[in-house]
Amino acid sequence: MLFNSWCEISLSAIEQNYKEFERIVGPGAIVAPVVKANAYGHGIELVSTALRAAGAACLCVNEVDEGLRLRASGDQGRLYVVGYSAFEQLSDAVEAALDLVVYNRETVDALAPLCARLERPLGLHLKLETGNNRQGLPIDQALELADEIRRRPGLCLEGVTTHFADIEDTTDHTFAMQQLGRFQRGVDALVAAGHDVPLRHCTNTAAVILFPETYFNLVRVGIGTFGMWPSKETLVTAVQARRHQIHLEPALSWKSRVAQVKDVARGEYIGYGRTYQTTHETRLAIVPVGYYDGYDRRLSNLAHVLVRGHRAPVRGRICMNMLMIDVTHVPDVALEDEVVLLGTQGEQRVSAEQLASWIGTINYEVTTRIHERLPRLPR
Ligand SMILES: Cc1ncc(COP(=O)(O)O)c(C=O)c1O
């Protein structure tokens, strides 16, 4: 192993989570895992291969580059790009047969000449603006763009889509239901205008867990694929609605190893800025991982890691490539002992949610911030 820290990815957990969503959703809708952002930090090629083997017919990426990466790794299935595709990326996208989300007339104009002679038309998914005020078009403009797509040989309206603004951050889902109503009206308007839109999709994990009425015929599932719940609010709502009988298995462990063990006298300072002073004779272990690797500097003097099955607190500031932990209470810590930054060891567990709560963020950010250069090893 040429790296001082690495992630281990449980492919059986990924497969199990995917199957769990298939079970919940039933045969009426395609489960389309979201593997953008390096599969939420889990390793896009590794995870996508496992998901295809588990039966995933469609994978969602954020941008063309991610789609190309998957094509280069041999992926030949449907890939849907949920984020923006810039003009200069469009010819690559067409060549790689990526389905694209569209919400600009200019994009359709730029695609038309590139696709005019395609054997199979390029699939476009029209994004409806239903309240997120991110990507998307209001219904009247979406209808115009759909007409435009219909006029262009080589392009086809493959899907209609939207995205919820406020479904995992709250236990009050009034706004989400309003968005769903707008989406439904948009779909109806397209159908009434003679557009046969094969795929209709608006979910994220929270919607899939909580609201079967959001499924239509394709569901996008991100965070849940990796075994994490979107939020406490989603869990609370699921319990109230008795929809919590779902088992998600976290797939990612992040590990390093002890680089040095040393005894430090009482009253010594530890690390940059001398932000920690020992209150007792302390046995310290140095761990060669830092904020460059994605271990957030705000975890300084706050987080715990696991070593020899014990929790060991981080002492002093996280450095760029190192951190220090107190192992005074842990018997026999030795050079090269395994250190778990995220995951389980013996009876102990540090979850992405725990790390997130220490620094005021969400589990999504914790795993996506783990540096891409660190290896993701199948386990
Ligand atoms: C367009 C779109 N769909 C689906 C998802 C998946 O959301 P989640 O990870 O909450 O399932 C995302 C994630 O941000 C997204 O941007």
Side-chain angles (χ1 to χ4, degrees):
M1 164 71 68
L2 291 171
F3 290 79
N4 283 337
S5 92
W6 64 94
C7 294
E8 293 176 9
I9 308 299
S10 165
L11 298 182
S12 60
I14 299 274
E15 183 188 345
Q16 207 175 298
N17 297 329
Y18 171 76
K19 298 273 183 208
E20 187 71 338
F21 284 104
E22 273 196 336
R23 181 187 68 78
I24 296 169
V25 168
I30 298 166
V31 175
V34 180
V35 295
K36 65 179 189 168
N38 199 26
Y40 288 44
H42 293 61
I44 187 166
E45 287 94 350
L46 183 68
V47 165
S48 300
T49 306
L51 286 167
R52 291 297 196 196
C58 175
L59 299 175
C60 306
V61 295
N62 179 60
E63 57 178 280
V64 170
D65 173 64
E66 293 171 332
L68 298 181
R69 251 176 90 171
L70 288 181
R71 289 287 186 244
S73 76
D75 191 296
Q76 295 181 345
R78 184 192 288 270
L79 291 171
Y80 165 55
V81 178
V82 303
Y84 182 61
S85 300
F87 295 144
E88 60 185 300
Q89 300 161 2
L90 295 178
S91 56
D92 283 334
V94 171
E95 200 166 319
L98 306 178
D99 277 20
L100 303 180
V101 69
V102 286
Y103 42 85
N104 290 310
R105 162 82 195 254
E106 294 88 333
T107 305
V108 171
D109 287 344
L111 281 168
L114 299 173
C115 299
R117 273 184 279 281
L118 288 182
E119 257 172 46
R120 239 190 60 216
L122 189 77
L124 301 180
H125 298 234
L126 193 54
K127 185 106 178 189
L128 298 184
E129 178 53 74
T130 58
N132 202 7
N133 285 314
R134 201 169 75 169
Q135 308 178 98
L137 287 171
I139 293 175
D140 52 341
Q141 293 173 31
L143 281 167
E144 284 173 20
L145 196 55
D147 289 342
E148 205 50 56
I149 293 167
R150 184 160 48 190
R151 276 196 284 275
R152 310 299 185 113
L155 300 182
C156 75
L157 189 59
E158 186 71 23
V160 55
T161 177
T162 196
H163 192 51
F164 290 110
D166 192 22
I167 199 161
E168 62 262 302
D169 293 317
T170 178
T171 54
D172 175 357
H173 294 100
T174 314
F175 191 77
M177 290 304 114
Q178 284 169 3
Q179 277 192 271
L180 180 61
R182 287 178 202 141
F183 181 61
Q184 182 66 67
R185 284 194 289 284
V187 173
D188 293 346
L190 283 164
V191 171
H195 294 286
D196 168 30
V197 197
L199 297 175
R200 300 153 189 203
H201 49 105
C202 64
T203 72
N204 52 13
T205 301
V208 174
I209 292 175
L210 299 177
F211 301 112
E213 61 270 42
T214 62
Y215 295 171
F216 295 87
N217 60 2
L218 183 145
V219 296
R220 305 188 304 264
V221 184
I223 196 92
T225 303
F226 307 101
M228 294 178 278
W229 279 69
S231 63
K232 280 187 189 141
E233 288 81 356
T234 307
L235 182 57
V236 167
T237 313
V239 170
Q240 285 168 346
R242 299 192 184 285
R243 292 192 57 80
H244 60 295
Q245 309 297 7
I246 150 169
H247 180 72
L248 298 180
E249 187 68 32
L252 183 145
S253 307
W254 185 7
K255 296 183 177 176
S256 184
R257 50 167 81 87
V258 169
Q260 191 184 3
V261 183
K262 63 171 66 169
D263 293 319
V264 175
R266 178 170 177 263
E268 286 277 328
Y269 296 102
I270 296 176
Y272 288 129
R274 297 187 297 142
T275 61
Y276 187 84
Q277 186 174 26
T278 57
T279 56
H280 52 85
E281 252 188 52
T282 298
R283 176 153 292 185
L284 270 192
I286 317 304
V287 187
V289 55
Y291 59 80
Y292 172 58
D293 305 293
Y295 200 78
D296 198 293
R297 189 168 176 272
R298 289 168 296 173
L299 292 164
S300 300
N301 286 313
L302 207 54
H304 295 163
V305 302
L306 308 177
V307 59
R308 293 206 170 226
H310 294 262
R311 299 178 83 87
V314 170
R315 298 297 193 214
R317 286 212 182 122
I318 312 284
C319 314
M320 191 182 289
N321 308 106
M322 294 271 169
L323 58 85
M324 289 71 84
I325 57 173
D326 187 339
V327 293
T328 313
H329 59 296
V330 186
D332 305 323
V333 173
L335 188 61
E336 303 251 334
D337 272 358
E338 177 189 87
V339 176
V340 172
L341 309 162
L342 196 178
T344 56
Q345 194 185 54
E347 303 286 292
Q348 296 291 334
R349 171 162 181 233
V350 178
S351 63
E353 291 73 25
Q354 172 78 83
L355 287 164
S357 78
W358 274 323
I359 57 173
T361 186
I362 50 176
N363 46 7
Y364 295 68
E365 189 179 354
V366 169
T367 61
T368 56
R369 280 282 172 90
I370 301 173
H371 204 296
E372 251 189 81
R373 88 187 174 92
L374 303 187
R376 270 64 174 178
L377 308 174
R379 178 165 53 86

